[in-house]
Structure formats: structure tokens, C-alpha cells
Amino acid sequence: MTITRFAPAPTGRLHVGNIRTALHNWLFTRKLGGRFLLRLDDTDAERSNEDYVEAIRADLAWLGLDIDGEERQSERFHRYEAAFARLRDAGRIYPAYETAQELELKRKILLGRGKPPIYDRAALDLTKQHIADFEAEGRTPHWRFKLDHDAPIEWDDLIRGPQHFDPALLSDPVIRREDGSWLYMLPSAVDDAEMGVTHVVRGEDHVTNTGLQLQMFDAMGVAAPTFAHEALLVGSEGKLSKRLGSLGVEVFREQGIEPMAVVSLLARIGTSDPVEPFTDVAPLIESFDFARFGRALARFDSEELAALNAKIVHQLDFAVVTDRLPDGMGAEGWEAIRPNLATVAEAADWWHVVEGPVDSVDFDKETAAFLDQAAGHAAELDWSDAAWKNLTGQLKEQTGRKGKALFLPLRQALTGRDHGPEMAALLPLIGKDRAIARLKRAP
Ligand code: GLU
């Protein structure tokens, strides 16, 4: 069975980049019929916050990304201790006592000589006496995972294809700090192994971590999951922007963006499939395929999202939006107004135009006379069918007006505006009495 996980640290709200990773995990899992887990990477007690945990759950729910289970790293410290003890006993984890400054100096020296700043493993040469001296000084060690330099790192990435790393060109990663706290690397590998995660889908900023973690899986004697590293998301200006880091569900909601607009866009940007306005997620699940993902940075454009949102709003059924519409606005009102909306919230504004009062417009004498004539016709009209067509048809015949000269003053008098939904759909909603009053310019 396919098992995936989305693993945010609850140290902030989800941003559009995280959301995209969550979505791809979810789409992939729903296509294959497996389990999608939310794993909260909350080992850092100080920076993790319950409000963010709630916000992450709420954001996923708003997007429609239902989860099949939730795990918290803060409840699993005993598992990390156990793995740590086993790997240490097997000689795959070792203590190191360098201070941050000492390590920085080593890096600078290597870089100065034009060499890659790989950790020199000096800690492996410490004698019992050295260690006793450090301990006597009150130093506690941090801990490194010892890479096996003889085991080439290789995997077949679902997006990037075959990957190779020479472990000798990588530093043994620090997995635990002096104060005993955990870095991300080992707990994540332990969780993936123990939770039976079959596929890890994450950003390409984790590619090197994957190389290191593959050796951890191996050292723990467990099979590694399959990996898919997606190209990172950038702003329309082509850079990893700060703006994207603070763009999330909260902002989308404020802007009146529908969840399916976010889902439709993020599912497809950076892939060879076209971005299309979907109101239902099924076709996105159906068509999901890592083989369609490109290696180039994926570009997120707020204007593209807004345009996609409008196209989705134009397709939404009355039943879906009824809770969000103003009192009194029924299915006919929604269908008449929907084609003019960029967001569902704007429906209230147009409904206001239907119910009035509308803004008054100054007309010249001749146009005012024309509108009086229109009011007369409106009073005689059969309102049960094609009211707008009949009204304008009669006026055209009698006045010789056509095109803009015919339609614009009517629209202005009836709605107070120059543009808007089709008058044929709007006029029956405005209704006979209000229409006559507006044509007579009687508020
Ligand atoms: N908490 C890690 C992150 O947000 C998880 C990475 C992973 O998916 O393994 O970067």
C-alpha cells in the first residue's frame, strides 16, 4: 500500500510552496489509493506552536486535502533514542566536540585552499584521554552520522531520474546537538521507516538530505522509500521570493480565491499538463503523474491564480455557493450575475444593483425623453418572457436608436453602471416596478 507523508514544522503558517508539496503528495496517494499522513515535525519545542498546528490542519481541510492519520515527532523521542543507541553501538554515530567557531575555521581553511569544506572527521581520532579532558572541561558532544564512503549513494528519482552521489564528498551530518536536541535528519528517516512510508515527495532542496538519509536507512537495515524531488516554486519574477513565503491560505481567503483555484494551479504549474480551471479534483487525481513534472523552477503568478479563480467561479453551481450569497439571491440571480464575477463575494455588490437603490446618472434631455418613453413601454410589457428583448425591440422600432445609443442609457438608468451582467438576465431580477421607477429616474 502506498503511504506518503506531508511533514511541515509547525513553526509558521503553510506557504504556497508547502501547500504545493502537500497537494502533490495527496494527489499521488489518492490516485494510487493509499494513506496520506500529516507528520508534524515539532521536535523544536521552542519554535513549535499549537496555534500553527491548528492552522496547518485547518489550511489542509480548506484545500480539501483530507488526511488519513496524524503523527507528531514530539511524541516519538523514545523511538529516536532507540535508533540512536543502535546506530551508535554499531559505530555509525560518533561524538564530536568542536565548537561552532572551530568548525567555521576548518571550513574557511579548506575553502581558502580551494577545497570543498568537507568535515575532516577529526573527532574519530580522539583518544579516550581527549574525550575525558573535554568532559572535564564541561564540554558535551554533538553527534554525527558516519557515512560509509565505500557505498555509493544512488537512487532513481521519480522526477529527477537516476541520481548518484559520492559519499566521500559529503560531510558526516550532525544529527544531534550538544544539548541532546535533534536535527531533522535522523528522526525523519526513523519515522519514514517505522511508518512504512513508501514515497517521499518533497522539494529539491532536500536532494542532499536524501543522499544522507539513504545511508541511514541502510544502516538501520530497512528498505528506503522511493523519492520524488520537485523543482522549487518561484514567483512570477523568477526568484525565490519572500512574498511567496508569506502567501498562504489566509491571504487566498481574503482575496476570495476558491480552494479549487489554488489546487488547479498548484497541481499543474511546473508540469507539462496545461493549467485548467477545475471545480472538481477528480480529473487532477486521474491525470497526476510525476513523469509530467519538469526540472525547471515552477512559476507561481498571482494574476494567473486570480484569472483561474474567475473561470472557476463562473462554473460554480448555486447549491455550492448558496451559503455565501446575500439574502434573497436565488439560483436565477446567481446564474445571471456569475459570469461577471472574479470572486463569489462580489455577488453581493451586483445583488445590491438588483435590489437598489442604484447610483443616479445624469442624462441629457433627449436621452431623458427616450428613457421616459422606455418607462412607458415597460409598463405595458409582458414581463413573463423575454422582457429585455421585447423592450429594446419596441424601442428600436419606434426611435430608430440602435447599438450603444439604444442599450447604454437603458443599462445606466436600470443599474447605475456602464457595464455588468447581461441585461436580459438582469432585467427580470430587477422586476417591473423597480425597472419602471429607475427608467423614470424616480429613486
Ligand atoms: N520538516 C521538513 C521540512 O519541512 C520535512 C522535509 C521532508 O519532507 O522530509 O523541510
Side-chain angles (χ1 to χ4, degrees), residues 77-89:
F77 287 123
H78 59 293
R79 304 304 309 164
Y80 312 144
E81 288 291 352
F84 177 85
R86 279 197 305 276
L87 291 171
R88 189 192 51 205
D89 294 348

Side-chain angles (χ1 to χ4, degrees), residues 87 90 92 145-146 213-222:
L87 291 171
R92 294 303 298 273
F145 176 77
K146 189 177 168 206
Q213 286 175 328
L214 281 172
Q215 285 221 349
M216 292 180 192
F217 290 117
D218 216 35
M220 291 190 286
V222 296

Side-chain angles (χ1 to χ4, degrees), residues 130-153:
H130 283 128
I131 292 181
D133 291 347
F134 284 142
E135 304 270 327
E137 277 175 32
R139 284 209 205 185
T140 51
H142 55 271
W143 300 84
R144 288 186 185 262
F145 176 77
K146 189 177 168 206
L147 293 170
D148 179 352
H149 285 183
D150 297 325
I153 296 168

